[in-house]
């Protein structure tokens, strides 16, 4: 209980008469709002001690109804400094943490003594906690003569613990206390050193909030393992074993075991890797290995972007920054959702207000991603995706705007004009040609292609907009300038452009030129439909021919199979020779995620590794080859892929994926004796 609450409580138990809220506010020199809040906390405390809340009588005020014995008990606790007041929510969290971290039965008397509250209060809280734990598929069972015990899977116990402890440790000070309840001081330091080493191995900086999540989830896991509580099952094991996080943890396992005097089993390494993935980011170079079904993920992401694009009527699919950003964010978000974690977006309300149309479109179309991943995004997670789209829309809008050109007119001297110049350039995106006197205004307008004159005095000039401001910009000046500049930057002055052209040549048809310029310089979003119609993404049959197909290739290893597919791309001048080695390096670094379906592998590398044009090659193998994939081996068909960007190849890839889903097509491709037969099979698919 803090000092102010203690003082108010002492005052009330020592005064038997009624006291008004206003009088209390004057006595303690605080606002009435603070008094109301304090009285609510005092009521909750009294009830937790099985005492009556404060009595309130309209027109009189309030007073304490405690008996003399109860008052003596409160005074005794205050004198011994034993009261730690907790709100009902805080108290329930403490009880939940206690029972979740125990490896034996817990009794109501134990909890009552620890929290200094009555048995009745604990019993009421237990009923609430039982309902809450059902959300984690956990049961808080009561056993006669033994006490309370958690029944449920270990992974769900950790999810519940992580949820509560994240709320408990939302400040630096409280996070230290939370960790101290799980590990010793030396253990916390060893854990932090280990995470720092992991960060170096992963070559990815970990943000502060991610660092806290990782540290806490690892501390929970270590604490549980030290008590003999291990995870014996996990989801998504296959892809986690292929992740760089899992490989980094495995490389440091011996050090981890030694530091914490424990032998960590494989299932626990997989669990820790999933926690690490939940809080980490993925570099653009690693984006293909995000999921074992990476092709479908990219195709569904393309559908998602196109759906939002259609709603907003802004061309977004060609924005590589958007595509990569979404892809890299979805990976940790996916594992956060599976782990029961949540990242709060501190500007969720502003996003919903400022970008409501974008956010609504994201929510509406998010099922295209959720269906592929078999998860449901929270609105918090969806709001992060909204931010990526909002940034992309802003980038697109900037493409369609010109930077306004302005001149300053000031009669009070160079120092004043420099102050104004500094304010303008710091606040606005604007090109200022200089500061001039008012007497030369006509010459200035003729000489410079100005959009605006910003002046501190009254002036007149034809053919250019004028706005008067104070030498030190007021809030009203800033608002007016923002409005004017936004209007100018969203349109082009055709007359100004024609005047510039006239300086360097004759114009035979000024009206016709003005019309052509007007059509060309229309803000891009107004002609969005035309741009969407003009977008060219080649179909499969446009990029695949007999020269890119080889049947019954006689290879012995996966490396030979990859080289075969890459060589076809190289011989058809679609890639440089170094691309073949990059395909092999990709397999070595990221594992067998390229084996996309039973019997089918799709080796590839990034565009910067020597891609000249979009291309696909198909190689059928005479004998199946083991690639090392746990479920999709052995491989019979190898499809080489090279792409120039993130999206141009996706239309062709969509067709190919649909073909690969058709068992009769796969059978036909495997039985084909010539490249022509395979091309004909592809042509016949509608």
């Amino acid at each position: 209980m803090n000092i102010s609450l203690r003082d108010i409580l002492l005052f009330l138990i020592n005064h038997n008469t009624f006291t008004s809220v206003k009088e209390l506010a004057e006595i303690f020199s605080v606002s009435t709002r603070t008094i109301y809040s304090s009285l609510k906390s005092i009521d909750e405390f009294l009830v937790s001690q099985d005492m009556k809340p404060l009595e309130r009588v309209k027109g009189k005020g309030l007073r304490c109804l405690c008996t003399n014995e109860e008052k003596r008990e409160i005074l005794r606790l205050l004198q011994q400094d034993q009261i730690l007041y907790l709100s009902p929510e805080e108290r329930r969290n403490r009880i939940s943490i206690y029972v979740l971290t125990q490896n034996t039965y817990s009794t109501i008397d134990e909890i009552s003594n620890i929290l200094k509250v009555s048995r009745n209060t604990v019993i009421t809280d237990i009923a609430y906690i039982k309902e809450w734990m059902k959300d984690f598929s956990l049961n808080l069972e009561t056993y006669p003569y033994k006490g309370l015990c958690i029944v449920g899977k270990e992974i769900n116990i950790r999810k519940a613990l992580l949820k509560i402890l994240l709320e408990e440790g939302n400040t630096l000070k409280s996070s230290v206390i939370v960790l101290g309840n799980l590990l010793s001081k030396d253990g916390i330091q060893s854990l932090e050193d280990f995470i720092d080493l992991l960060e170096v191995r992963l070559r990815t900086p970990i943000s502060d909030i991610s660092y806290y999540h990782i540290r806490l989830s690892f501390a929970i896991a270590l604490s549980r393992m030290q008590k003999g509580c291990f995870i014996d099952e996990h989801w998504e094991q296959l892809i986690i074993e292929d992740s760089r996080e899992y490989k980094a943890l495995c490389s440091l396992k011996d050090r981890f075991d030694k530091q914490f005097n424990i032998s960590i089993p494989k299932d626990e390494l997989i669990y820790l890797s999933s926690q690490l993935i939940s809080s980490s980011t993925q570099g653009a170079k690693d984006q293909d290995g995000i999921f074992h079904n990476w092709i479908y993920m990219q195709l569904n992401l393309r559908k998602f972007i196109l759906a939002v694009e259609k709603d907003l009527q802004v061309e977004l699919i060609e924005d590589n920054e958007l595509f990569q950003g979404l892809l890299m964010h979805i990976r940790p978000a996916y594992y956060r959702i599976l782990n029961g974690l949540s990242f709060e977006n501190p500007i969720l309300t502003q996003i919903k207000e400022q970008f409501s149309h974008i956010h609504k479109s994201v929510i509406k179309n998010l099922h295209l991603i959720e269906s592929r991943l078999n998860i449901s995004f929270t609105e918090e997670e969806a709001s992060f995706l909204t931010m990526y789209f909002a940034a992309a829309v802003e980038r697109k809008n900037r493409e369609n705007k010109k930077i306004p050109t302005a001149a300053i007119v000031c009669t009070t001297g160079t120092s004043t004009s420099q102050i104004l110049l500094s304010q303008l350039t710091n606040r606005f995106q604007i090109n200022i040609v200089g500061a001039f006197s008012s007497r030369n205004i006509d010459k200035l307008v003729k000489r410079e292609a100005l959009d605006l004159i910003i002046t501190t005095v009254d002036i007149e000039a034809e053919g250019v907009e004028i706005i008067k401001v104070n030498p030190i910009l007021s809030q009203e000046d800033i608002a007016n300038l923002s409005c004017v500049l936004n209007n100018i930057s969203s349109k082009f002055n055709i007359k100004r452009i024609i005047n510039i052209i006239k300086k360097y040549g004759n114009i035979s048809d000024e009206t016709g030129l003005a019309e052509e310029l007007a059509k060309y310089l229309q803000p891009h979003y107004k002609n969005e439909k035309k741009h969407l119609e003009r977008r060219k993404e080649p179909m499969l049959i446009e990029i695949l021919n007999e020269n890119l197909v080889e049947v019954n290739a006689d290879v012995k290893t996966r490396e030979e199979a990859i080289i075969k597919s890459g060589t076809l791309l190289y011989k058809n001048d679609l890639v440089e020779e170094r691309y073949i080695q990059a395909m092999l390096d990709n397999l070595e670094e990221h594992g067998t995620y390229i084996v996309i379906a039973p019997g089918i592998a799709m080796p590839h590398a990034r565009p910067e590794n020597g891609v000249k044009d979009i291309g696909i090659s198909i190689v059928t193998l005479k004998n199946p080859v083991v690639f090392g994939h746990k479920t999709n081996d052995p491989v019979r068909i190898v499809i080489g892929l090279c792409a120039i960007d993130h999206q141009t190849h996706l239309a062709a890839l969509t067709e190919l994926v649909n073909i690969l889903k058709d068992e009769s097509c796969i059978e036909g491709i495997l039985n084909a004796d010539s490249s022509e037969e395979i091309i004909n099979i592809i042509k016949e698919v509608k």
Side-chain angles (χ1 to χ4, degrees):
M1 179 174 288
N2 60 41
I3 293 173
S4 61
L5 277 178
R6 181 182 302 179
D7 290 345
I8 295 171
L9 178 56
L10 279 171
F11 177 86
L12 291 172
I13 65 175
N14 287 315
H15 288 74
N16 294 323
T17 58
F18 285 98
T19 307
S20 70
V21 171
K22 185 178 180 181
E23 288 171 336
L24 287 172
E26 291 174 354
I27 292 169
F28 293 99
S29 300
V30 295
S31 68
T32 55
R33 181 177 180 181
T34 300
I35 292 295
Y36 278 119
S37 177
S38 299
L39 295 175
K40 179 182 177 184
S41 297
I42 289 172
D43 273 341
E44 290 173 345
F45 165 71
L46 292 171
V47 171
S48 73
Q49 300 295 324
D50 276 353
M51 301 178 188
K52 293 180 180 179
L54 299 171
E55 181 187 19
R56 292 167 173 81
V57 177
K58 189 174 182 181
K60 290 185 177 182
L62 52 92
R63 65 178 179 178
C64 182
L65 293 177
C66 293
T67 65
N68 290 333
E69 184 180 346
E70 289 171 338
K71 289 178 181 180
R72 284 194 293 271
E73 175 63 13
I74 292 172
L75 287 170
R76 185 184 68 80
L77 292 171
L78 287 173
Q79 288 169 357
Q80 295 180 4
D81 198 28
Q82 289 182 2
I83 288 184
L84 173 62
Y85 172 72
L86 299 172
S87 70
E89 183 180 1
E90 290 171 329
R91 192 176 60 246
R92 289 162 186 163
N93 280 351
R94 295 293 175 89
I95 296 172
S96 298
I97 292 169
Y98 183 77
V99 295
L100 284 165
T101 53
Q102 297 305 301
N103 212 20
T104 58
Y105 293 96
S106 307
T107 67
I108 290 175
D109 286 336
E110 287 173 359
I111 297 169
S112 176
N113 290 332
I114 290 170
L115 297 181
K116 307 294 185 206
V117 295
S118 69
R119 280 179 54 86
N120 287 339
T121 298
V122 174
I123 291 170
T124 301
D125 288 341
I126 290 294
Y128 179 90
I129 292 167
K130 283 184 176 182
E131 288 301 312
W132 178 81
M133 286 192 175
K134 288 180 181 178
D135 292 340
F136 297 89
S137 299
L138 297 173
N139 292 319
L140 182 55
E141 301 287 358
T142 303
Y143 294 88
Y145 310 109
K146 289 184 177 181
L148 302 164
C149 183
I150 298 290
V151 178
K153 293 181 179 179
E154 173 64 20
I155 191 169
N156 293 332
I157 291 175
R158 295 187 192 183
K159 284 182 180 181
L161 261 176
L162 192 56
K163 172 73 173 175
I164 301 173
L165 292 176
L166 283 172
E167 295 173 356
E168 286 278 301
N170 57 7
T171 66
L172 180 60
K173 183 178 179 180
S174 59
S175 69
V176 173
I177 296 171
V178 166
L179 286 170
N181 292 330
L182 298 169
L183 299 174
S184 67
K185 185 176 180 181
D186 290 340
I188 294 171
Q189 186 59 56
S190 295
L191 178 58
E192 290 176 345
D193 292 342
F194 183 77
I195 295 172
D196 290 341
L197 184 58
L198 266 177
E199 185 177 29
V200 174
R201 287 289 177 94
L202 291 171
R203 303 188 305 277
T204 302
I206 299 174
S207 68
D208 288 343
I209 188 171
S210 295
Y211 182 85
Y212 174 68
H213 277 226
I214 294 167
R215 185 179 60 174
L216 182 56
S217 60
F218 274 43
I220 290 171
L222 282 168
S223 175
R224 296 293 294 171
M225 283 188 281
Q226 287 170 352
K227 293 177 180 177
C229 302
F230 293 89
I231 284 176
D232 56 6
E233 60 178 291
H234 204 64
W235 28 253
E236 289 290 338
Q237 179 169 318
L238 176 63
I239 181 58
I240 290 177
E241 285 189 58
D242 275 341
S243 70
R244 61 199 183 106
E245 287 84 357
Y246 179 77
K247 292 174 182 177
L249 276 170
C250 286
S251 70
L252 297 170
K253 181 184 182 304
D254 290 342
R255 177 169 181 159
F256 198 86
D257 290 350
K258 186 177 180 181
Q259 274 187 316
F260 297 100
N261 193 29
I262 190 170
S263 180
I264 301 179
K266 181 178 178 180
D267 285 327
E268 288 289 352
L269 284 173
I270 290 171
Y271 171 78
L272 292 176
S273 299
S274 75
Q275 295 296 322
L276 194 56
I277 295 169
S278 298
S279 302
S280 66
T281 56
Q282 183 92 338
K285 292 183 179 180
D286 305 309
Q287 53 103 357
D288 287 341
I290 288 178
F291 305 102
H292 60 276
N293 53 1
W294 60 276
I295 287 183
Y296 299 99
M297 186 64 240
Q298 290 195 16
L299 297 181
N300 282 54
L301 182 56
R302 176 177 180 268
K303 292 178 183 177
F304 178 51
I305 294 174
L306 286 173
V308 175
E309 177 183 272
K310 183 179 179 182
D311 287 343
L312 303 181
Q313 281 297 292
V314 180
E315 186 176 352
L316 300 172
I317 191 62
E318 294 179 1
D319 189 326
N320 183 64
E321 196 171 339
L322 171 64
F323 191 91
Q324 299 294 350
L326 290 173
L327 202 56
M328 288 185 286
H329 185 88
I330 287 171
R331 178 183 190 251
Y334 170 65
Y335 285 97
R336 278 198 295 274
I337 293 167
L338 288 181
N339 281 318
L341 293 173
S342 62
F343 272 10
E344 290 187 5
N345 192 333
I347 58 172
L348 174 62
T349 302
Q350 294 94 310
I351 288 172
K352 292 170 68 175
E353 291 175 356
Q354 187 173 352
F355 306 110
S356 61
H357 63 302
I358 299 176
H359 190 62
K360 287 176 182 176
S361 179
V362 168
I363 296 293
K364 168 188 166 187
N365 296 298
L366 201 50
H367 66 92
L368 295 168
I369 301 296
E370 293 173 328
S371 62
R372 171 51 53 189
L373 300 178
N374 195 28
I375 58 172
S376 295
F377 279 81
T378 64
E379 188 171 33
E380 293 277 357
E381 289 286 2
S383 69
F384 287 108
L385 304 185
T386 299
M387 292 169 69
Y388 284 100
F389 278 103
V393 170
E394 178 59 28
R395 283 193 295 274
K396 180 58 65 175
N397 287 341
R398 282 202 302 267
E399 290 178 9
N400 308 316
K401 293 182 178 180
K402 63 185 289 290
I403 298 176
T405 299
I408 295 174
V409 173
C410 185
T411 61
T412 55
T414 303
S415 59
T416 303
S417 63
Q418 287 301 310
I419 291 172
L420 183 55
L421 174 64
S422 176
Q423 294 176 85
L424 291 169
T425 53
N426 285 336
R427 285 185 174 274
F428 303 104
Q429 191 174 20
I430 185 172
N431 175 35
I432 297 179
V433 298
F436 304 89
S437 63
S438 59
R439 66 179 181 275
N440 294 320
I441 192 68
D442 292 335
K443 293 179 181 178
L444 175 65
V445 172
K446 290 179 181 179
R447 186 175 71 250
E448 302 286 348
L450 298 175
D451 297 299
L452 179 67
I453 293 176
I454 302 170
T455 176
T456 59
V457 295
D458 292 321
I459 60 172
E460 292 182 0
E462 290 187 10
V464 63
E465 189 161 359
I466 297 171
I467 183 169
K468 184 181 177 182
V469 299
N470 295 295
I472 303 297
L473 294 176
S474 66
Q475 289 301 316
E476 185 179 357
D477 290 333
I478 293 168
N480 291 337
L481 279 166
S482 297
C483 182
V484 171
L485 291 172
N486 284 336
N487 184 50
I488 290 172
S489 64
S490 66
K491 63 183 180 182
F492 289 89
N493 190 319
I494 304 298
K495 186 176 180 180
R496 293 283 175 194
I497 295 173
I498 289 176
N499 286 338
I500 293 172
I501 295 172
K502 283 181 178 179
K503 290 182 181 180
Y504 303 97
N506 297 322
I507 300 174
S508 59
D509 184 0
E510 188 171 321
T511 301
L513 177 61
E515 290 177 356
E516 286 293 316
L517 286 172
K519 290 179 183 178
Y520 180 73
L521 298 174
Q522 284 280 338
H524 190 71
Y525 58 84
K526 289 185 179 178
N527 284 325
E528 193 63 32
K529 286 187 178 180
K530 294 181 180 178
H531 283 272
L532 295 177
E533 291 169 1
R534 286 199 299 269
R535 184 187 299 137
K536 183 69 171 74
E537 293 180 9
M539 306 307 288
L540 179 61
I541 203 62
E542 295 179 69
I543 61 174
L544 186 65
N545 56 58
E546 288 88 347
N547 296 326
L548 285 162
V549 179
E550 182 175 344
V551 298
N552 297 321
D554 190 6
V555 299
K556 300 294 190 293
T557 66
R558 64 182 188 175
E559 287 77 16
E560 289 179 8
I562 290 172
I563 290 171
K564 278 282 185 183
S565 66
T567 301
L568 288 174
L569 298 173
Y570 169 64
K571 286 183 176 180
N572 283 271
D573 200 32
L574 297 170
V575 299
E576 298 173 15
E577 191 170 9
R578 63 190 175 101
Y579 186 79
I580 301 172
Q581 184 59 48
M583 296 168 81
L584 295 169
D585 294 341
N586 193 38
L587 173 67
E588 184 66 27
E589 184 173 358
H590 299 301
T592 57
Y593 77 94
I594 63 170
V595 186
I596 61 173
I600 303 171
M602 186 176 287
H604 57 279
R606 294 193 56 77
E608 58 264 29
N609 291 307
V611 176
K612 296 181 179 180
D613 201 354
I614 177 176
I616 290 175
S617 65
I618 297 178
V619 178
T620 61
L621 305 182
K622 183 177 181 180
N623 298 303
V625 170
V626 173
F627 269 59
H629 197 283
K630 288 193 173 182
T631 59
N632 291 337
D633 267 344
V635 170
R636 291 290 308 274
I637 301 173
V638 182
I639 299 166
L641 173 66
C642 58
I644 57 174
D645 55 31
H646 75 278
Q647 61 89 27
T648 308
H649 64 293
L650 292 182
L653 198 56
T654 300
E655 286 188 86
L656 182 59
V657 166
N658 289 333
I659 290 171
L660 298 178
K661 288 180 181 177
D662 191 321
E663 292 184 8
S664 62
C665 287
I666 293 295
E667 191 68 23
I669 290 171
L670 287 172
N671 292 328
D673 294 322
S674 67
S675 58
E676 290 82 6
E677 284 185 50
I678 291 179
I679 294 297
N680 287 334
I681 290 171
I682 292 171
K683 285 180 177 178
E684 289 172 4
V685 176
K686 301 298 182 183

